[in-house]
Short mmCIF file of all heavy atoms in Angstrom, two decimals:
data_model
loop_
_atom_site.label_atom_id
_atom_site.label_comp_id
_atom_site.label_asym_id
_atom_site.label_seq_id
_atom_site.Cartn_x
_atom_site.Cartn_y
_atom_site.Cartn_z
N LYS A 1 72.47 124.82 80.05
CA LYS A 1 71.28 123.92 80.06
C LYS A 1 71.26 123.05 81.30
O LYS A 1 70.25 122.66 81.78
CB LYS A 1 71.28 123.04 78.83
CG LYS A 1 70.69 123.70 77.62
CD LYS A 1 70.54 122.69 76.48
CE LYS A 1 70.45 123.45 75.14
NZ LYS A 1 71.13 122.74 74.03
N SER A 2 72.47 122.72 81.82
CA SER A 2 72.51 121.83 82.96
C SER A 2 72.29 122.56 84.29
O SER A 2 72.36 121.95 85.38
CB SER A 2 73.87 121.10 82.99
OG SER A 2 74.89 122.00 83.40
N ASP A 3 72.07 123.92 84.28
CA ASP A 3 71.68 124.61 85.49
C ASP A 3 70.36 123.94 86.02
O ASP A 3 69.54 123.59 85.25
CB ASP A 3 71.43 126.10 85.20
CG ASP A 3 72.71 126.90 84.96
OD1 ASP A 3 73.76 126.35 85.26
OD2 ASP A 3 72.63 127.97 84.43
N LEU A 4 70.31 123.84 87.32
CA LEU A 4 69.20 123.12 87.92
C LEU A 4 67.84 123.69 87.53
O LEU A 4 66.91 122.94 87.29
CB LEU A 4 69.37 123.15 89.46
CG LEU A 4 68.69 122.05 90.25
CD1 LEU A 4 69.07 120.74 89.82
CD2 LEU A 4 68.90 122.28 91.70
N SER A 5 67.76 125.02 87.47
CA SER A 5 66.51 125.67 87.10
C SER A 5 66.81 127.09 86.59
O SER A 5 67.93 127.55 86.84
CB SER A 5 65.59 125.74 88.32
OG SER A 5 66.27 126.29 89.43
N GLN A 6 65.83 127.77 86.02
CA GLN A 6 65.97 129.21 85.70
C GLN A 6 64.84 129.88 86.50
O GLN A 6 63.69 129.82 86.11
CB GLN A 6 65.82 129.38 84.18
CG GLN A 6 66.96 128.86 83.34
CD GLN A 6 68.26 129.69 83.48
OE1 GLN A 6 68.17 130.88 83.81
NE2 GLN A 6 69.34 129.04 83.31
N MET A 7 65.22 130.55 87.57
CA MET A 7 64.22 131.10 88.48
C MET A 7 64.37 132.65 88.64
O MET A 7 65.49 133.14 88.54
CB MET A 7 64.31 130.46 89.86
CG MET A 7 63.81 129.06 89.93
SD MET A 7 63.73 128.55 91.69
CE MET A 7 62.87 127.00 91.48
N THR A 8 63.26 133.29 88.97
CA THR A 8 63.34 134.70 89.39
C THR A 8 63.73 134.70 90.86
O THR A 8 63.66 133.68 91.56
CB THR A 8 61.97 135.40 89.23
OG1 THR A 8 61.12 134.75 90.15
CG2 THR A 8 61.42 135.27 87.81
N ALA A 9 64.13 135.85 91.36
CA ALA A 9 64.57 135.97 92.74
C ALA A 9 63.43 135.62 93.67
O ALA A 9 63.61 134.93 94.72
CB ALA A 9 64.99 137.40 93.03
N ASN A 10 62.20 136.03 93.41
CA ASN A 10 61.06 135.75 94.30
C ASN A 10 60.69 134.27 94.24
O ASN A 10 60.19 133.78 95.27
CB ASN A 10 59.86 136.66 93.89
CG ASN A 10 60.16 138.09 94.19
OD1 ASN A 10 61.12 138.44 94.89
ND2 ASN A 10 59.42 138.98 93.52
N GLU A 11 60.93 133.59 93.18
CA GLU A 11 60.73 132.10 93.12
C GLU A 11 61.85 131.40 93.95
O GLU A 11 61.56 130.48 94.71
CB GLU A 11 60.73 131.60 91.69
CG GLU A 11 59.55 132.01 90.90
CD GLU A 11 59.71 131.71 89.40
OE1 GLU A 11 60.87 131.54 88.89
OE2 GLU A 11 58.69 131.71 88.65
N ALA A 12 63.06 131.87 93.77
CA ALA A 12 64.23 131.28 94.48
C ALA A 12 64.05 131.31 95.98
O ALA A 12 64.37 130.31 96.62
CB ALA A 12 65.53 131.93 94.01
N VAL A 13 63.59 132.43 96.52
CA VAL A 13 63.40 132.61 97.96
C VAL A 13 62.55 131.60 98.60
O VAL A 13 62.62 131.26 99.76
CB VAL A 13 62.90 134.05 98.25
CG1 VAL A 13 62.54 134.25 99.69
CG2 VAL A 13 64.00 135.05 97.89
N LYS A 14 61.63 131.03 97.77
CA LYS A 14 60.65 130.05 98.32
C LYS A 14 61.21 128.61 98.30
O LYS A 14 60.54 127.63 98.71
CB LYS A 14 59.36 130.05 97.47
CG LYS A 14 58.61 131.40 97.61
CD LYS A 14 57.47 131.53 96.63
CE LYS A 14 56.84 132.92 96.74
NZ LYS A 14 56.17 133.32 95.54
N THR A 15 62.45 128.40 97.87
CA THR A 15 63.05 127.05 97.81
C THR A 15 63.88 126.75 99.02
O THR A 15 64.46 127.64 99.64
CB THR A 15 63.86 126.87 96.57
OG1 THR A 15 65.06 127.74 96.65
CG2 THR A 15 63.15 127.15 95.24
N LEU A 16 63.98 125.51 99.32
CA LEU A 16 64.80 125.03 100.46
C LEU A 16 66.24 125.29 100.21
O LEU A 16 66.98 125.68 101.11
CB LEU A 16 64.55 123.47 100.63
CG LEU A 16 65.27 122.86 101.80
CD1 LEU A 16 64.62 123.28 103.13
CD2 LEU A 16 65.25 121.31 101.65
N ARG A 17 66.70 125.12 98.93
CA ARG A 17 68.10 125.30 98.67
C ARG A 17 68.60 126.78 98.77
O ARG A 17 69.75 127.00 99.02
CB ARG A 17 68.54 124.72 97.30
CG ARG A 17 67.71 125.11 96.16
CD ARG A 17 67.95 124.20 94.94
NE ARG A 17 67.27 124.65 93.74
CZ ARG A 17 65.99 124.43 93.52
NH1 ARG A 17 65.24 123.81 94.39
NH2 ARG A 17 65.43 124.96 92.39
N PHE A 18 67.68 127.72 98.56
CA PHE A 18 68.06 129.15 98.79
C PHE A 18 68.46 129.36 100.24
O PHE A 18 69.47 129.92 100.57
CB PHE A 18 66.87 130.10 98.46
CG PHE A 18 67.16 131.54 98.82
CD1 PHE A 18 67.75 132.39 97.96
CD2 PHE A 18 66.78 131.98 100.11
CE1 PHE A 18 68.01 133.71 98.31
CE2 PHE A 18 67.07 133.28 100.46
CZ PHE A 18 67.69 134.19 99.55
N TRP A 19 67.60 128.82 101.15
CA TRP A 19 67.86 129.04 102.60
C TRP A 19 69.01 128.22 103.05
O TRP A 19 69.70 128.61 104.03
CB TRP A 19 66.59 128.74 103.37
CG TRP A 19 65.54 129.78 103.09
CD1 TRP A 19 64.46 129.67 102.28
CD2 TRP A 19 65.60 131.18 103.47
NE1 TRP A 19 63.83 130.87 102.19
CE2 TRP A 19 64.50 131.85 102.94
CE3 TRP A 19 66.51 131.89 104.32
CZ2 TRP A 19 64.25 133.18 103.11
CZ3 TRP A 19 66.26 133.28 104.49
CH2 TRP A 19 65.14 133.86 103.90
N ALA A 20 69.30 127.07 102.39
CA ALA A 20 70.48 126.29 102.69
C ALA A 20 71.76 127.07 102.40
O ALA A 20 72.67 127.18 103.17
CB ALA A 20 70.48 124.99 101.97
N LEU A 21 71.74 127.77 101.19
CA LEU A 21 72.87 128.60 100.83
C LEU A 21 73.04 129.76 101.84
O LEU A 21 74.14 130.09 102.24
CB LEU A 21 72.69 129.22 99.43
CG LEU A 21 72.94 128.32 98.18
CD1 LEU A 21 72.87 129.18 96.92
CD2 LEU A 21 74.30 127.62 98.24
N TRP A 22 71.88 130.39 102.19
CA TRP A 22 71.92 131.51 103.13
C TRP A 22 72.55 131.09 104.42
O TRP A 22 73.41 131.72 104.99
CB TRP A 22 70.51 131.99 103.36
CG TRP A 22 70.38 133.36 104.00
CD1 TRP A 22 70.21 134.55 103.34
CD2 TRP A 22 70.45 133.68 105.38
NE1 TRP A 22 70.13 135.54 104.29
CE2 TRP A 22 70.33 135.11 105.54
CE3 TRP A 22 70.70 132.91 106.54
CZ2 TRP A 22 70.36 135.71 106.78
CZ3 TRP A 22 70.74 133.58 107.78
CH2 TRP A 22 70.58 134.94 107.86
N GLY A 23 72.09 129.90 104.96
CA GLY A 23 72.60 129.40 106.23
C GLY A 23 74.11 129.09 106.18
O GLY A 23 74.83 129.44 107.11
N MET A 24 74.53 128.44 105.06
CA MET A 24 75.99 128.13 104.91
C MET A 24 76.82 129.39 104.90
O MET A 24 77.86 129.44 105.57
CB MET A 24 76.22 127.32 103.64
CG MET A 24 75.61 125.88 103.76
SD MET A 24 76.22 124.79 102.47
CE MET A 24 75.60 125.51 100.96
N LEU A 25 76.35 130.42 104.17
CA LEU A 25 77.14 131.64 104.07
C LEU A 25 77.14 132.38 105.44
O LEU A 25 78.20 132.84 105.91
CB LEU A 25 76.57 132.66 102.99
CG LEU A 25 77.42 133.87 102.73
CD1 LEU A 25 78.79 133.46 102.12
CD2 LEU A 25 76.72 134.82 101.83
N PHE A 26 75.97 132.34 106.09
CA PHE A 26 75.89 132.99 107.43
C PHE A 26 76.86 132.42 108.44
O PHE A 26 77.60 133.16 109.09
CB PHE A 26 74.46 132.93 107.93
CG PHE A 26 74.31 133.48 109.37
CD1 PHE A 26 74.30 134.85 109.55
CD2 PHE A 26 74.23 132.67 110.47
CE1 PHE A 26 74.17 135.40 110.79
CE2 PHE A 26 74.10 133.19 111.74
CZ PHE A 26 74.10 134.56 111.95
N ILE A 27 76.89 131.07 108.54
CA ILE A 27 77.85 130.42 109.47
C ILE A 27 79.26 130.68 109.08
O ILE A 27 80.12 131.01 109.91
CB ILE A 27 77.53 128.88 109.56
CG1 ILE A 27 76.14 128.66 110.18
CG2 ILE A 27 78.60 128.14 110.37
CD1 ILE A 27 75.66 127.24 110.15
N ASN A 28 79.60 130.54 107.82
CA ASN A 28 80.96 130.71 107.32
C ASN A 28 81.44 132.11 107.66
O ASN A 28 82.56 132.32 108.13
CB ASN A 28 81.02 130.44 105.83
CG ASN A 28 82.41 130.11 105.37
OD1 ASN A 28 83.13 129.29 105.95
ND2 ASN A 28 82.95 130.79 104.33
N VAL A 29 80.60 133.13 107.41
CA VAL A 29 81.04 134.57 107.57
C VAL A 29 81.02 134.89 109.08
O VAL A 29 81.94 135.58 109.55
CB VAL A 29 80.09 135.50 106.80
CG1 VAL A 29 80.45 136.91 107.07
CG2 VAL A 29 80.16 135.19 105.32
N THR A 30 80.06 134.42 109.81
CA THR A 30 80.03 134.72 111.29
C THR A 30 81.30 134.23 111.99
O THR A 30 81.95 135.01 112.70
CB THR A 30 78.82 134.03 111.95
OG1 THR A 30 77.59 134.51 111.34
CG2 THR A 30 78.75 134.38 113.45
N CYS A 31 81.66 133.01 111.69
CA CYS A 31 82.86 132.48 112.37
C CYS A 31 84.14 133.07 111.80
O CYS A 31 85.07 133.38 112.58
CB CYS A 31 82.92 130.94 112.17
SG CYS A 31 81.45 130.11 112.83
N GLY A 32 84.15 133.40 110.52
CA GLY A 32 85.34 134.06 109.92
C GLY A 32 85.54 135.44 110.40
O GLY A 32 86.68 135.79 110.82
N ILE A 33 84.48 136.24 110.47
CA ILE A 33 84.64 137.67 110.97
C ILE A 33 85.00 137.61 112.46
O ILE A 33 85.80 138.42 112.85
CB ILE A 33 83.24 138.40 110.76
CG1 ILE A 33 83.10 138.79 109.28
CG2 ILE A 33 83.21 139.67 111.64
CD1 ILE A 33 81.81 139.58 109.00
N ALA A 34 84.45 136.66 113.20
CA ALA A 34 84.75 136.51 114.64
C ALA A 34 86.29 136.28 114.80
O ALA A 34 86.93 136.93 115.62
CB ALA A 34 83.95 135.44 115.29
N ILE A 35 86.82 135.40 114.05
CA ILE A 35 88.24 135.09 114.07
C ILE A 35 89.06 136.32 113.69
O ILE A 35 90.09 136.66 114.36
CB ILE A 35 88.59 133.87 113.11
CG1 ILE A 35 88.16 132.53 113.78
CG2 ILE A 35 90.06 133.82 112.77
CD1 ILE A 35 89.04 132.10 114.92
N ILE A 36 88.66 136.97 112.60
CA ILE A 36 89.38 138.20 112.19
C ILE A 36 89.40 139.27 113.31
O ILE A 36 90.40 139.94 113.56
CB ILE A 36 88.76 138.79 110.91
CG1 ILE A 36 88.98 137.83 109.71
CG2 ILE A 36 89.30 140.16 110.58
CD1 ILE A 36 88.18 138.09 108.47
N SER A 37 88.23 139.40 114.01
CA SER A 37 88.11 140.45 114.97
C SER A 37 88.93 140.20 116.27
O SER A 37 89.25 141.16 117.00
CB SER A 37 86.63 140.72 115.33
OG SER A 37 86.13 139.57 116.03
#
């Protein structure tokens, strides 16, 4: 019940927090993969 919302994927993509998660994962993985390589 305490989940922030119950959304479909197409609704989620229109939110600011979706793109915030995307950006955080992108930076974390880009720098991580670069270090590994």
Side-chain angles (χ1 to χ4, degrees):
K1 274 187 202 145
S2 73
D3 288 345
L4 201 58
S5 52
Q6 291 290 333
M7 287 190 172
T8 65
N10 294 341
E11 288 167 343
V13 172
K14 294 172 185 154
T15 64
L16 183 72
R17 52 194 184 280
F18 172 89
W19 292 104
L21 282 189
W22 196 97
M24 290 193 298
L25 188 66
F26 176 76
I27 292 171
N28 202 49
V29 177
T30 300
C31 301
I33 285 181
I35 282 288
I36 291 168
S37 68

